[in-house]
Amino acid sequence: MRVAVVSDIHGNRHAFEAVLDAVEAIAADELWCLGDLVGYGADPDACVALTRRYATVCLAGNHDLAVRGDIPLDEFSRGAALAARWTQETISADALVYLRTLEPLKLDEAVGLYHASPRDPVWEYVLSPLQAELCFDVLQHRVACIGHSHIALAYTRGAGMPATGEKQPDGAVLDVAEGEWLLNPGSVGQPRDGDPRAAWMLLDTDAWTAAYHRTEYDVAGAAAAIRAARLPDSLAERLPHGQ
Ligand code: ZN
């Protein structure tokens, strides 16, 4: 099966629509979302609606949990807390019903799916080989997908070897047929790895390859929507920098 894996959409309808077009163009079999549909961006309802329509699997991220009231906002940075409160005030009742159905992990697919990490599906940012090592020790699958850090990357561990990993640029294709893998597709709606284009990944669970993709989108439109919604200006300013 060829699965398009997306994460951290964050209310950025402009980015998500562009990614969905790209996913349709390569005829992926399914779309899986690793969570954080909302928070930061100006179009939470549209992003929830598109996810409901196209994703066969969807997790809850920390921002989704905060918006539905399951995480206190004082655990967030100031900008994130303001955006979560704004989202609570503007999200439709219907979209909120959907967010309430989501869990931060899913373990009954061919690969493990976690919003953040196998050790802590809600909060851990896996950004070092040591963290990856500790995650591999608790992993129930050989391959897992994680989001949350907004950085497209992959960690791997072969038998008797230490974990290694690095960021994955547009066009990178990994052979994941051997060893253990933690794959992060990066963020659709707020990339933080210096590339402002929307990030996603195509995972082939028959051939066992992971292909990293970046898709251009209307960054100025997404930034203008954030400003028009009177969300913190910093959330608009960071988008063109991919930070
Ligand atoms: Zn996120």
Side-chain angles (χ1 to χ4, degrees):
M1 185 162 67
R2 293 162 73 243
V3 186
V5 184
V6 299
S7 191
D8 299 281
I9 297 160
H10 283 298
N12 186 337
R13 171 180 64 81
H14 296 77
F16 196 22
E17 287 173 346
V19 167
L20 290 171
D21 285 346
V23 167
E24 189 180 12
I26 60 162
D29 297 307
E30 291 195 16
L31 178 78
W32 294 353
C33 174
L34 304 178
D36 277 356
L37 284 62
V38 302
Y40 298 133
D43 293 298
D45 284 353
C47 290
V48 170
L50 289 167
T51 304
R52 282 174 101 157
R53 185 158 168 199
Y54 294 109
T56 47
V57 169
C58 185
L59 306 181
N62 52 310
H63 290 256
D64 306 317
L65 294 168
V67 165
R68 73 190 206 191
D70 290 346
I71 289 180
L73 296 186
D74 57 16
E75 294 188 27
F76 281 73
S77 67
R78 185 171 171 277
L82 284 168
R85 195 164 301 119
W86 177 91
T87 306
Q88 285 177 331
E89 288 163 3
T90 54
I91 196 167
S92 70
D94 193 43
L96 201 54
V97 165
Y98 178 70
L99 290 188
R100 290 207 169 105
T101 66
L102 306 177
E103 299 288 337
L105 74 170
K106 192 168 191 298
L107 302 178
D108 58 356
E109 300 290 345
V111 302
L113 302 174
Y114 305 88
H115 173 66
S117 95
R119 292 200 298 173
D120 177 348
V122 177
W123 279 114
E124 184 184 20
Y125 295 89
V126 183
L127 293 169
S128 75
L130 174 60
Q131 284 177 297
E133 191 81 43
L134 297 167
C135 289
F136 284 131
D137 288 342
V138 301
L139 203 56
Q140 299 177 26
H141 297 73
R142 189 178 64 77
V143 179
C145 296
I146 57 174
H148 189 56
S149 71
H150 298 209
I151 294 172
L153 49 73
Y155 289 102
T156 187
R157 184 170 73 173
M161 304 282 285
T164 58
E166 55 196 357
K167 290 202 232 175
Q168 300 296 325
D170 184 28
V173 181
L174 302 176
D175 177 350
V176 300
E178 306 273 333
E180 295 172 287
W181 291 87
L182 278 176
L183 305 168
N184 189 325
S187 169
V188 170
Q190 194 197 75
R192 293 178 192 163
D193 51 11
D195 184 340
R197 296 176 295 173
W200 57 284
M201 181 179 81
L202 188 70
L203 178 68
D204 188 323
T205 59
D206 299 313
W208 288 111
T209 57
Y212 285 80
H213 291 268
R214 300 307 276 251
T215 299
E216 303 247 12
Y217 76 97
D218 180 7
V219 174
I226 286 170
R227 293 194 169 103
R230 309 193 69 172
L231 281 156
D233 205 54
S234 59
L235 300 177
E237 276 166 15
R238 62 193 301 172
L239 292 180
H241 305 288
Q243 293 295 346

